Amino acid sequence: MIFESHAHYDDEEFDGDREELLASFGERGIGTVINIGASLAGSEATVRLAERYSFIYGAVGVHPSEVEELSEEGMERLRALCGHEKIVAVGETGLDYHYPEPAVSLQKEWFARQLLLAREVKLPVIIHSREAAKDTLDIMQAHRAGEIGGVVHCFSYTKETARDYLNMDFYFGIGGVITFKNAKKLKEAVQYIPMDKILLETDSPYLSPEPHRGERNSSLNLPYVAGAIAELKGISYEEVVETTERNARRLFNVTAEKR
Ligand code: NI
C-alpha cells in the first residue's frame, strides 16, 4: 500500500473533515502516514494523531519559517516528544530563504540544533530546503548528516544537488510538483535518483498534483505522483508503490502495522 512520508493533518485546513478523510485511507490504498510537525504546537498535535490512529506515525520539529518560537525550553519539549514510541523522525527542519524572515542566522542556528537533537535521539531527520541549497548542504556536511540519515522533503533542486545529497546517503521526498508541466529540472533529477532513494509525499494540505493543482491536497492524490514517477522511470505503477513503501519503512524503521 502507499506510504505517505510527509503530510500535515494537524493543519486547520482539515478541521472540517479530518476524521472522515483519515478513515477513508485504508480502503483507498493509503497504508501508512507520517504526520510532520512544523511548530511546537504542530509537534504536540502530531503526537495526539499518532496515538489516535494506528497507521499514523510522527515527526517532531520546527519549520525554518517558525524558528522564532524556539528556545532552550522548546528544544527540551521536542527532545521529550522524541521519546514517544510512534515518533520516528526529527523535523521538519532546515532553511527557507523564500521570505526575508526569520533571519538567516536564526534559521541556521536552529537547524543545526535540530540536527544535533536527531543525532542524540538516534532518529532520521526530515529536511526542508527552499532557495537555500548551498547553505543547507554546508550545514549538513558540517554536522556529518550522512551519519544521521534522513530525507530531503519536497526535493526541488537540480540533478547536481541531488548527487550531493546522495553522497550523504539521503532519501528524496517527491510530491505533486513532479506532475507539473514546467517541472523540467525536477523530472531530470528524478530520472537520475536511484529508485531505492525515493519516497512518496504530498506535503498536504499544500502542493496538490495535476489535475487538482491549487486545491487542498491529501494523501488520496498520491496515485498521481506515483504514476508520474512510473512514467519517468519506465517502470510499473505497482513497482513505484512497493519500492517507495519499502524505502520509507527502512528509513523510519516502521514495520507493517495492524489496521
Ligand atoms: Ni511540510
Side-chain angles (χ1 to χ4, degrees):
M1 283 171 97
I2 287 175
F3 193 117
E4 156 78 280
S5 67
H6 193 116
H8 301 278
Y9 287 114
D10 53 295
D11 193 284
E12 62 186 14
E13 288 283 323
F14 297 105
D15 284 354
D17 62 347
R18 186 176 292 109
E19 298 253 331
E20 304 91 285
L21 180 66
L22 294 175
S24 73
F25 280 5
E27 64 197 24
R28 297 186 62 182
I30 310 300
T32 311
V33 172
I34 310 281
N35 200 77
I36 311 289
S39 62
L40 290 171
S43 296
E44 304 271 2
T46 292
V47 170
R48 288 194 293 275
L49 278 171
E51 283 176 343
R52 178 157 181 161
Y53 295 93
S54 63
F55 63 94
I56 296 185
Y57 294 78
V60 295
V62 174
H63 186 284
S65 303
E66 304 289 332
V67 290
E68 276 159 345
E69 73 167 352
L70 265 174
S71 61
E72 291 308 320
E73 205 186 327
M75 286 303 299
E76 265 317 305
R77 193 62 205 134
L78 287 182
R79 180 177 289 109
L81 294 177
C82 284
H84 192 284
E85 59 176 0
K86 291 192 80 186
I87 295 305
V88 296
V90 171
E92 57 189 292
T93 179
L95 301 173
D96 192 326
Y97 294 171
H98 188 67
Y99 300 105
E101 302 284 327
V104 164
S105 56
L106 207 61
Q107 292 193 35
K108 285 182 173 174
E109 178 189 339
W110 292 113
F111 177 29
R113 287 292 302 274
Q114 290 181 79
L115 285 175
L116 289 171
L117 174 63
R119 176 184 291 282
E120 180 193 327
V121 298
K122 297 187 171 62
L123 289 177
V125 68
I126 294 168
I127 306 270
H128 171 105
S129 178
R130 186 183 187 196
E131 296 170 26
K134 176 157 189 324
D135 284 2
T136 305
L137 274 166
D138 286 349
I139 291 180
M140 287 171 70
Q141 281 160 353
H143 287 82
R144 303 194 313 279
E147 297 170 9
I148 299 168
V151 54
V152 184
H153 121 78
C154 193
F155 181 76
S156 56
Y157 296 134
T158 59
K159 186 168 122 174
E160 288 71 30
T161 307
R163 191 182 49 218
D164 293 329
Y165 288 118
L166 273 175
N167 286 338
M168 284 189 280
D169 214 21
F170 263 63
Y171 289 78
F172 298 79
I174 304 298
V177 177
I178 196 67
T179 66
F180 298 174
K181 278 203 177 59
N182 57 3
K184 197 168 156 255
K185 265 189 340 186
L186 178 61
K187 287 179 186 174
E188 269 174 28
V190 167
Q191 280 171 327
Y192 167 75
I193 297 166
M195 200 54 220
D196 67 355
K197 287 292 172 191
I198 292 178
L199 307 184
L200 295 180
E201 69 162 58
T202 57
D203 205 17
S204 295
Y206 310 107
L207 292 173
S208 260
E210 293 288 359
H212 296 294
R213 197 169 173 177
E215 297 169 20
R216 185 188 74 173
N217 202 3
S218 89
S219 308
L220 298 178
N221 285 327
L222 279 172
Y224 298 110
V225 175
I229 295 173
E231 205 181 309
L232 283 168
K233 290 290 202 185
I235 58 177
S236 71
Y237 172 86
E238 290 74 20
E239 190 175 344
V240 172
V241 170
E242 281 167 26
T243 307
T244 52
E245 178 181 16
R246 200 158 55 233
N247 296 344
R249 292 197 186 285
R250 187 190 315 124
L251 174 63
F252 297 116
N253 197 18
V254 168
T255 48
E257 53 279 336
K258 299 181 194 81
R259 295 186 71 98

